[in-house]
Amino acid sequence: MVSKLASVSMASMLLLAGCSGTTSSKESSSEKKDNKSKAEISWLNILHTASPPTDTVLNQIEKKTNTEIKFSWIPDASKEERINTALASDSLADIVTLTLLDNSSVRNALKSGMFWNVEDYLDEFPNLKAIPKDIRTSASIEGKLYGVPFQKDLARNGIVIRKDWLDKLGLSLPKTTEELMEVAKAFTEKDPDGNGKKDTTGFMDRSDLKYGAFKTLSSYFGTPNVWKVDSKGNFVAEFETDGYIETMDYMKELYNKGFINKDFAVTAKTDQQQNFSQGKAGIYIGALFDGKNLKSMANGIQDNMELALVNNVTSASNSKQSIWSDGNGVGGLLAFPRSEVKDEKELKRILKFVNDLLDPEVYKLMTYGMEGTHYKITGDGAYEIINQDLWQQEVQPFAASRPKESGFHLKDPDPLKAQGDELIAENAKHAVFNPAVPLESTTYTTQGSELQKIITDATYQYILGEIKLEDFKKAVKNWNEQGGKTIKEEYKKAYKAVK
């Protein structure tokens, strides 16, 4: 049987030719989007796996949603270039997956009126109506919602810690930054692996201020998430706050006392995880679901490894449980171009399809596949993959296409992964949003990355003892003078406009 899915090798041709505004290969407008008839829907989508899925699960999704789906897949590695090309040539599809909402071409296309504003239509569909207001706001541009938001976990991060080491040293799970420092000290100085050598550190970190230890630690010290807005609507950068400086001082102490790997500032994520799994450190800060992966990597190397997850650390300066939110829970948009979706009737039929993708049964298909073929339900109600290779081929490619990442109360058979899921859900209650996510700043779009490098470099230099606090503050002043002050003013204006 010939697959209904476009192969990756054909993606560029489909992108530039197969998804034009012609209707020769489509049903008529009335047939295509009628709520009762089977709808043919084209979808320009991102592929995060090596190859597209086969039709096995697709056929079931189509049956559940009463559609025929024509995918044009773009490999994740080339998504920015391909999406920019598609937007420039108006070579799109009924649904376009847009994940790079900071991309200037994407934002300009959305603001230009190329895509439908769907805000007024979502409440007509039960699953779309359930999308929280905060998510809708964060996914909007200049107060307008140009697609259905990909709903991601609000806050994934926390601490993975060696419980077997804690038990051996008579220590409890840390609940404060002070206790975490004491654990780091003990893991460094008290031979937690019992090999008679001082060859372990407390933390194993990597060169990433955002997804490594730094930003999560900064949450514990009450640092705002990128920006905070004061009572007058003024924007204050996170690195202009006391919490950020406290975080730098905390990391500086870890570094000076040897409680963190000395090369953390140049360590890659893969090396960080491998070193942790080899027993070189006992504290890992990152996504809570990494615990399962770290335990798996330790098989045959550290078979006695026991891990625990922690998400409720506070500090003397911040007694409130807090954790930063990546993108405010928005992973992008499912957008609907007016060149393809001609009128409200077509739009509503496609919105019904997206609404149906949010049904639990379809979510299970896109996550676990088909019962008896890809997974089984265990005695305690967990969903266990029974054929890993088949699952990776037929199911996993759909994972990034789910309009909602989690929240369907499906239990993982791995206890560590199940605990991670629970703590991530709990994190949502304590998530700190970035108020600038839905706002426009031309200066940030054009200079933001370059300006951030000033702060990133100064942060590492301070932690490593290469500069003093007054030097860091000079770097912040330089950031303001080079364009940061203008970004603040633009955000203040945009914030006021949408309030």
Side-chain angles (χ1 to χ4, degrees):
M1 180 178 66
V2 178
S3 172
K4 291 192 280 286
L5 298 171
S7 68
V8 174
S9 63
M10 294 292 290
S12 58
M13 287 189 288
L14 286 166
L15 180 59
L16 298 175
C19 295
S20 67
T22 62
T23 59
S24 59
S25 64
K26 299 183 178 182
E27 299 174 22
S28 68
S29 176
S30 60
E31 291 174 333
K32 174 183 172 185
K33 307 296 191 278
D34 185 82
N35 285 335
K36 295 181 180 179
S37 64
K38 189 173 184 178
E40 182 182 308
I41 295 175
S42 58
W43 189 345
L44 184 60
N45 203 3
I46 309 299
L47 184 68
H48 291 262
T49 54
S51 58
T54 61
D55 289 347
T56 307
V57 173
L58 175 64
N59 291 336
Q60 296 301 312
I61 295 172
E62 290 178 330
K63 183 177 180 180
K64 294 284 186 183
T65 60
N66 193 30
T67 58
E68 183 176 348
I69 310 166
K70 301 291 185 180
F71 280 108
S72 294
W73 293 103
I74 296 177
D76 182 64
S78 59
K79 64 185 175 185
E80 185 165 12
E81 176 188 353
R82 295 285 187 86
I83 289 295
N84 286 346
T85 299
L87 293 173
S89 60
D90 199 16
S91 303
L92 303 169
D94 298 328
I95 303 174
V96 179
T97 295
L98 299 174
T99 57
L100 300 173
L101 297 185
D102 283 341
N103 178 284
S104 58
S105 296
V106 171
R107 294 188 80 85
N108 289 334
L110 291 168
K111 291 189 296 180
S112 73
M114 181 181 289
F115 296 90
W116 283 87
N117 179 357
V118 302
E119 180 68 44
D120 293 338
Y121 301 97
L122 297 188
D123 288 351
E124 297 181 29
F125 306 89
N127 294 328
L128 301 182
K129 184 178 181 178
I131 298 174
K133 184 178 185 300
D134 285 344
I135 297 293
R136 299 189 194 194
T137 299
S138 295
S140 298
I141 295 178
E142 296 182 338
K144 296 181 180 179
L145 185 59
Y146 294 107
V148 176
F150 276 103
Q151 299 173 72
K152 296 293 187 180
D153 292 316
L154 284 180
R156 301 173 169 180
N157 284 44
I159 301 171
V160 182
I161 195 165
R162 287 289 296 259
K163 185 178 185 302
D164 53 327
W165 288 8
L166 288 174
D167 293 343
K168 180 180 179 182
L169 300 178
L171 298 171
S172 301
L173 290 173
K175 295 184 178 179
T176 67
T177 52
E178 291 85 357
E179 292 176 0
L180 184 61
M181 180 69 74
E182 288 302 312
V183 169
K185 178 181 180 180
F187 283 1
T188 305
E189 298 180 347
K190 295 187 177 181
D191 191 22
D193 59 358
N195 68 353
K197 302 176 182 178
K198 289 188 66 174
D199 57 356
T200 58
T201 60
F203 282 77
M204 182 60 63
D205 196 25
R206 65 180 184 262
S207 178
D208 190 333
L209 292 180
K210 183 176 183 181
Y211 295 109
F214 188 89
K215 194 167 181 66
T216 296
L217 287 171
S218 76
S219 292
Y220 303 155
F221 287 106
T223 309
N225 186 3
V226 187
W227 298 95
K228 76 172 183 178
V229 184
D230 67 17
S231 58
K232 296 181 180 179
N234 297 311
F235 276 68
V236 180
E238 61 182 352
F239 44 82
E240 296 178 302
T241 67
D242 292 340
Y244 194 94
I245 294 174
E246 283 189 78
T247 309
M248 290 197 300
D249 285 335
Y250 191 88
M251 293 281 289
K252 185 179 180 70
E253 182 176 356
L254 289 173
Y255 178 77
N256 288 341
K257 293 183 175 179
F259 301 165
I260 190 171
N261 52 307
K262 284 291 187 181
D263 59 351
F264 80 94
V266 293
T267 298
K269 180 180 179 179
T270 52
D271 293 330
Q272 175 202 21
Q273 293 186 337
Q274 288 174 0
N275 289 338
F276 183 90
S277 298
Q278 291 167 6
K280 295 180 181 180
I283 302 169
Y284 172 100
I285 294 184
L288 286 161
F289 53 67
D290 283 343
K292 176 183 177 180
N293 302 329
L294 294 169
K295 185 72 166 64
S296 297
M297 291 173 67
N299 289 339
I301 305 171
Q302 292 275 304
D303 289 331
N304 295 325
M305 175 186 283
E306 292 182 45
L307 298 179
L309 307 179
V310 180
N311 75 330
N312 60 346
V313 172
T314 58
S315 67
S317 56
N318 178 42
S319 60
K320 180 182 178 182
Q321 185 175 337
S322 306
I323 184 66
W324 65 282
S325 177
D326 190 10
N328 297 359
V330 176
L333 293 172
L334 290 172
F336 317 106
R338 290 179 176 273
S339 60
E340 300 294 319
V341 183
K342 302 296 187 181
D343 52 36
E344 284 190 345
K345 186 177 181 180
E346 291 192 11
L347 177 65
K348 289 183 179 182
R349 179 61 186 94
I350 295 177
L351 286 172
K352 181 184 182 302
F353 165 69
V354 177
N355 178 84
D356 293 344
L357 290 180
L358 288 163
D359 281 342
E361 290 301 313
V362 180
Y363 175 86
K364 281 192 288 187
L365 280 169
M366 300 178 81
T367 306
Y368 294 103
M370 299 159 58
E371 186 175 3
T373 301
H374 305 101
Y375 74 91
K376 67 178 180 180
I377 301 177
T378 64
D380 60 353
Y383 285 68
E384 181 178 349
I385 304 301
I386 57 177
N387 188 326
Q388 191 71 25
D389 291 340
L390 193 63
W391 176 84
Q392 289 179 340
Q393 179 185 3
E394 299 183 344
V395 185
Q396 190 179 22
F398 287 111
S401 304
R402 298 170 301 182
K404 187 177 181 183
E405 186 173 40
S406 61
F408 292 85
H409 306 294
L410 304 180
K411 184 179 179 181
D412 194 278
D414 185 285
L416 205 58
K417 176 61 165 61
Q419 184 191 7
D421 292 341
E422 291 175 6
L423 296 188
I424 288 171
E426 184 180 294
N427 273 353
K429 305 171 188 175
H430 311 285
V432 179
F433 279 29
N434 174 3
V437 167
L439 304 179
E440 282 289 295
S441 165
T442 302
T443 306
Y444 177 80
T445 300
T446 57
Q447 297 179 237
S449 297
E450 179 183 347
L451 288 170
Q452 181 58 41
K453 191 174 186 302
I454 296 173
I455 303 301
T456 299
D457 289 347
T459 300
Y460 279 119
Q461 288 166 357
Y462 180 79
I463 294 171
L464 299 177
E466 298 172 1
I467 64 173
K468 298 183 181 299
L469 183 58
E470 55 262 34
D471 299 312
F472 176 80
K473 291 183 177 180
K474 286 179 183 177
V476 173
K477 182 180 179 182
N478 183 34
W479 175 88
N480 274 291
E481 292 172 347
Q482 294 294 323
K485 184 177 179 181
T486 304
I487 293 174
K488 294 177 184 178
E489 293 169 350
E490 290 171 351
Y491 276 145
K492 180 179 181 179
K493 182 179 179 181
Y495 183 78
K496 183 178 180 180
V498 298
K499 281 296 177 181

